[in-house]
Amino acid sequence: MHRINHYAWRHSARFHSTKSANTTIIAKGVSHRAAAALTITSLTAGYLVGTYQSSSSPEEHQQHERVLPNGLPRTCCQENERKSTLSPEQEKELVQQLRKIVGEDHLVIDGSLLNSKTQAYLKGARLGGAPCLCIVTPEHLHHVVSIVKAVVDAGAVIVPQGANTGLTGGSVPRYSTDSRPIVVLSLKKLNSIFPLDDGKRVCCLAGAGLAQLQLFLQQYFPDRETHSTLGSTFLNPTAAAGVALGSGGTQCRKGPAYTERALYLKVTQNKWKENVVEIVNTLDIEGLEDDPNPRSRLVMDSVPYRVDTWSRWIQEGYAQNFRYSTPNARPARDVHYKERLCAHDENDKQQKQASRISRYNADTSGPEFVRSEGKVILLATVHDTFPKPKQTKTLWLSFDQLETALQFRKQVCLNNPNDVPISCEYLDRDSFDIIDRSGRFLGKMIAFLGTSSPIVSRLWNVKLAIEGAGFPFLVDQWLHFINNAVPPLLPSPIQKLGHKWDHHVVVTVGDFDDTDHDDNSEASNTDRNQNSLTRFEQRLQNFLAQHPSKVETYECSPSQVPALTAFRFVAAPAFRTWCVGEGVQGYSVDYALPVSGGLAPPIDQPQPLRRMRYSHFACNVVHEDLAYARDVDLDAAKYAFKHIVEHDCGGRLPAEHGHGTEYKAPPETQRKWQYLDPLNVLNPGVGQTSEHFQYKTE
């Protein structure tokens, strides 16, 4: 194989750590935008805090607390005193041992308190707030091995955590009947990214985020794209978390966050009942293979230590060549995803395949670390990157009814695996109306600054900080109030279509080169897509001719695409803002329907006030936000709806946000987790499994 040194990549700024370099890159590019955004925030923050107490009485606050949409940030009213299984002396000894491993600067010992220092670790985007013994933030992979051994030997448990952007409570401490102390293992400082195979792949350490990865490729490999694009990219969720949850996103051609190449830890016991921290290496990287005849048990001979060394060499500018994949390396993406998407015809020979779900969180196929949800500790993952299309086209299509849109999906978008679009997103009328009513301000910020901008992330953290400081509804009330003073996010022609029709699809298609052939890729034979854009346009014209007066289309200019992307991305926060502003309650749910389906599951009484239904249309992964009157039993309505999805529609839930504490994992998934973590010392209680040692009942 001809190997390229890529001098420009190695020597530009000596490739300093991406945790500082990427921020600098963006800051230079949008400093004027950042200044404008922060000025707006500063001016409005004082107004918000100053007017909140005078505009809302305590009674009104209590009313709002009762109608807060289910699953959104909870307060500390859930306090539940419990006696630790360790004595104070044993807990102190464990903390001292962790301090010796990572140093004083990487240990937060006041984990029993929810304050400005611990909130980022103890509360997730929607759930959390329970205490822990301490929070450990290592900067070296080999330290993680020592941390896990120390915690498990002491009789405590570990909650692994990446960027803590999860929505279902699976990466934060939780209140439980188990009394073992909790140590939060935050991996976000392990955020290095390294290229492989001349940039065709990347190795991401456990804390490397998707926004960070996008910026990395933009700087060093501008002709390549990341494996995953999510609506929450600006929050910088980690690539490893996507693998651990099986999350998906918008990318039809690339597939969900999936890889078979990783470095991870498992905790077991040997026949002498001694705890064993097993290092499993499937990275398939030359020079980082397991030594079949280890000379000793020294830490420096371990793969985590060698990856740390490699990381340091690259950051300090000493690396002379790229690393390369080993021969016959495992896939670093879901190579059969496009075929599954297109197996949608119930009358063909693949009828059994057509009834399958394209992706969902409880899927137990693939390697053991995929969809493990914290039952192993991922240290590093390898992901394919993708060539950018030669050209793209984005269309907004409005339909008379959902059935017509489903026919469009089948006949035009998913006609064959080689021609699937880049993305295909669906919005119903309630989604359009609520986003337009309550999401303009946030949408403008994202469209203006970009979906991966750290400035947007900082502004979002300001919102969370205000909510955590005792003003849980203040920002949303303000956003709802000022929304109509903000110009519409979408172009005028699309605004008109949104008000005229009830069902909308935003599809982006591209024309791809066939030169990205890789003998190590199982999917290489299906990646030759010359003229795919032309073929899509031909199918679209045929479809429009067959359905006159049932579809309207609008081709977006490149300058309009960021607004469309932002409009779809702000759906979930816009729903919260709308509920708070209108004084109603609601819940959010995500689920996957069979690839041959797609119709909205029927809802029994009581009927919702609004039903936002938006989806990753090609794969049938649906997000629903349902608003109800204040007197409705929200939990009963939610679980009744889940029953309909699973038992009446053949769907599965959750589809991409993970089980966390919100969903009960099915038996086969629970058995997988019990096999991975037989002692139940990693993320105990996830998926509503037993919280106790070895999964014992009380």
Side-chain angles (χ1 to χ4, degrees):
M1 178 186 296
H2 178 62
R3 302 190 173 183
I4 305 171
N5 285 333
H6 279 270
Y7 181 92
W9 172 78
R10 288 203 325 274
H11 295 276
S12 59
R14 294 178 64 83
F15 187 61
H16 291 304
S17 174
T18 51
K19 61 187 175 184
S20 59
N22 286 331
T23 302
T24 303
I25 296 164
I26 289 298
K28 290 180 179 179
V30 296
S31 58
H32 62 290
R33 298 182 178 182
L38 293 175
T39 299
I40 293 172
T41 303
S42 301
L43 292 174
T44 56
Y47 169 80
L48 290 172
V49 175
T51 59
Y52 182 70
Q53 296 295 344
S54 61
S55 63
S56 301
S57 66
E59 292 77 10
E60 288 174 324
H61 289 184
Q62 293 174 2
Q63 288 179 341
H64 276 294
E65 188 169 2
R66 289 199 297 270
V67 301
L68 184 66
N70 189 40
L72 290 167
R74 297 176 182 176
T75 62
C76 56
C77 60
Q78 299 167 305
E79 290 182 0
N80 180 2
E81 292 295 331
R82 59 183 180 182
K83 186 176 180 180
S84 172
T85 54
L86 302 185
S87 67
E89 291 74 20
Q90 290 173 316
E91 291 186 347
K92 184 176 180 180
E93 182 180 351
L94 174 57
V95 171
Q96 283 293 104
Q97 191 172 357
L98 296 175
R99 182 181 286 110
K100 290 180 181 179
I101 296 172
V102 299
E104 187 70 37
D105 294 339
H106 304 292
L107 187 69
V108 180
I109 59 174
D110 54 348
S112 61
L113 303 174
L114 185 61
N115 53 40
S116 59
K117 192 174 183 180
T118 62
Q119 179 169 313
Y121 304 98
L122 301 184
K123 291 192 70 174
R126 290 179 175 172
L127 305 177
C132 67
L133 175 63
C134 62
I135 302 159
V136 193
T137 61
E139 285 191 321
H140 303 287
L141 295 182
H142 69 275
H143 284 170
V144 179
V145 183
S146 302
I147 291 167
V148 173
K149 188 68 165 64
V151 173
V152 173
D153 286 347
V157 299
I158 293 175
V159 174
Q161 185 181 98
N164 194 21
T165 60
L167 301 179
T168 57
S171 60
V172 290
R174 70 231 27 167
Y175 293 94
S176 70
T177 57
D178 184 55
S179 299
R180 292 175 294 172
I182 299 171
V183 174
V184 173
L185 176 59
S186 172
L187 303 171
K188 66 180 181 180
K189 292 183 179 180
L190 297 164
N191 62 356
S192 296
I193 300 172
F194 314 114
L196 302 170
D197 304 326
D198 302 324
K200 290 183 178 180
R201 287 165 197 88
V202 289
C203 179
C204 298
L205 298 196
L210 296 181
Q212 179 187 352
L213 179 55
Q214 283 187 1
L215 300 177
F216 174 87
L217 292 177
Q218 288 172 12
Q219 180 182 11
Y220 298 110
F221 302 96
D223 59 334
R224 309 292 294 185
E225 293 181 333
T226 177
H227 71 282
S228 186
T229 302
L230 306 174
S232 57
T233 297
F234 70 90
L235 296 177
N236 203 30
T238 62
V243 174
L245 296 175
S247 59
T250 64
Q251 302 297 285
C252 305
R253 299 171 50 82
K254 302 171 185 175
Y258 178 92
T259 181
E260 297 183 17
R261 301 172 61 176
L263 178 68
Y264 59 102
L265 305 180
K266 296 170 62 177
V267 178
T268 58
Q269 280 187 341
N270 59 24
K271 62 182 180 181
W272 297 285
K273 301 298 182 181
E274 297 171 330
N275 297 322
V276 177
V277 179
E278 180 185 357
I279 303 171
V280 184
N281 175 22
T282 63
L283 288 173
D284 292 340
I285 299 174
E286 289 183 352
L288 295 176
E289 306 97 329
D290 291 322
D291 189 346
N293 299 301
R295 297 182 299 277
S296 68
R297 294 183 178 272
L298 295 175
V299 171
M300 66 182 62
D301 292 329
S302 69
V303 175
Y305 189 89
R306 283 185 278 155
V307 174
D308 282 331
T309 302
W310 177 36
S311 170
R312 186 177 69 254
W313 285 351
I314 290 179
Q315 292 178 23
E316 294 176 356
Y318 298 126
Q320 297 301 310
N321 293 291
F322 276 106
R323 293 282 183 176
Y324 286 84
S325 298
T326 58
N328 302 314
R330 298 168 179 85
R333 58 170 156 171
D334 188 342
V335 295
H336 301 298
Y337 183 69
K338 293 185 291 187
E339 285 76 9
R340 293 203 305 275
L341 289 185
C342 295
H344 50 71
D345 192 342
E346 293 184 347
N347 297 317
D348 66 13
K349 296 179 181 180
Q350 301 183 30
Q351 183 172 357
K352 185 177 180 180
Q353 179 80 2
S355 64
R356 289 187 55 186
I357 308 294
S358 63
R359 57 180 172 88
Y360 60 100
N361 290 127
D363 186 3
T364 56
S365 63
E368 60 185 11
F369 61 85
V370 174
R371 295 175 292 273
S372 54
E373 297 206 30
K375 304 306 283 185
V376 303
I377 296 180
L378 279 165
L379 299 180
T381 51
V382 173
H383 301 271
D384 281 356
T385 64
F386 298 82
K388 288 185 176 180
K390 292 184 290 186
Q391 59 175 319
T392 62
K393 180 177 292 188
T394 298
L395 302 173
W396 178 287
L397 300 100
S398 296
F399 299 87
D400 62 335
Q401 53 187 353
L402 181 55
E403 288 82 354
T404 309
L406 292 172
Q407 287 297 314
F408 163 78
R409 182 184 71 183
K410 177 180 176 180
Q411 297 175 18
V412 181
C413 295
L414 304 182
N415 175 269
N416 67 84
N418 290 336
D419 288 344
V420 295
I422 295 172
S423 65
C424 186
E425 298 293 292
Y426 166 81
L427 297 164
D428 71 354
R429 180 60 177 269
D430 279 349
S431 297
F432 180 92
D433 290 344
I434 288 179
I435 297 171
D436 188 50
R437 173 61 187 87
S438 300
R440 290 184 182 181
F441 185 85
L442 180 59
K444 286 283 187 181
M445 295 295 291
I446 293 176
F448 184 56
L449 295 171
T451 56
S452 60
S453 170
I455 308 301
V456 178
S457 179
R458 293 193 191 106
L459 294 175
W460 185 261
N461 289 334
V462 169
K463 179 180 185 293
L464 296 180
I466 293 173
E467 292 170 353
F471 307 98
F473 319 110
L474 176 59
V475 178
D476 286 298
Q477 288 175 333
W478 178 77
L479 288 172
H480 190 73
F481 176 75
I482 70 153
N483 186 80
N484 288 340
V486 178
L489 183 58
L490 297 175
S492 177
I494 297 180
Q495 278 288 114
K496 294 177 181 178
L497 292 176
H499 293 299
K500 179 181 178 181
W501 301 85
D502 290 339
H503 303 278
H504 313 280
V505 173
V506 181
V507 59
T508 299
V509 291
D511 192 11
F512 292 86
D513 202 344
D514 66 348
T515 59
D516 193 53
H517 179 73
D518 187 345
D519 292 334
N520 290 331
S521 172
E522 295 183 17
S524 59
N525 290 332
T526 66
D527 281 344
R528 302 178 180 184
N529 298 293
Q530 285 184 315
N531 301 318
S532 57
L533 179 56
T534 301
R535 292 194 295 269
F536 175 90
E537 292 174 330
Q538 291 172 349
R539 293 194 300 272
L540 175 60
Q541 292 304 317
N542 292 336
F543 181 83
L544 294 176
Q546 295 169 10
H547 299 81
S549 305
K550 293 185 176 182
V551 190
E552 273 194 72
T553 66
Y554 177 79
E555 182 177 338
C556 305
S557 67
S559 63
Q560 294 172 334
V561 172
L564 268 69
T565 302
F567 191 85
R568 167 60 182 85
F569 278 8
V570 302
F575 175 69
R576 171 183 164 85
T577 298
W578 186 85
C579 285
V580 171
E582 297 294 325
V584 300
Q585 61 179 347
Y587 68 84
S588 301
V589 66
D590 67 285
Y591 58 89
L593 294 174
V595 293
S596 58
L599 294 176
I603 295 181
D604 296 332
Q605 294 295 332
Q607 289 293 311
L609 300 173
R610 289 292 186 97
R611 182 181 182 181
M612 285 181 67
R613 193 168 187 271
Y614 47 101
S615 71
H616 307 307
F617 202 45
C619 60
N620 252 355
V621 168
V622 183
H623 301 269
E624 288 214 33
D625 298 327
L626 299 99
Y628 285 88
R630 298 183 183 185
D631 58 349
V632 171
D633 184 339
L634 206 61
D635 285 335
K638 181 176 182 178
Y639 286 104
F641 180 72
K642 290 181 177 180
H643 180 84
I644 292 171
V645 169
E646 289 186 313
H647 295 277
D648 297 346
C649 302
R652 300 294 294 266
L653 49 82
E656 41 178 45
H657 290 160
H659 292 82
T661 58
E662 293 289 279
Y663 299 91
K664 184 176 182 179
E668 63 272 17
T669 304
Q670 294 192 22
R671 287 192 293 269
K672 172 185 175 179
W673 293 344
Q674 290 170 6
Y675 164 77
L676 292 176
D677 178 24
L679 304 182
N680 201 18
V681 293
L682 301 177
N683 215 15
V686 68
Q688 300 182 17
T689 56
S690 170
E691 302 160 338
H692 303 287
F693 181 69
Q694 293 182 330
Y695 303 92
K696 296 176 181 178
T697 58
E698 281 190 283

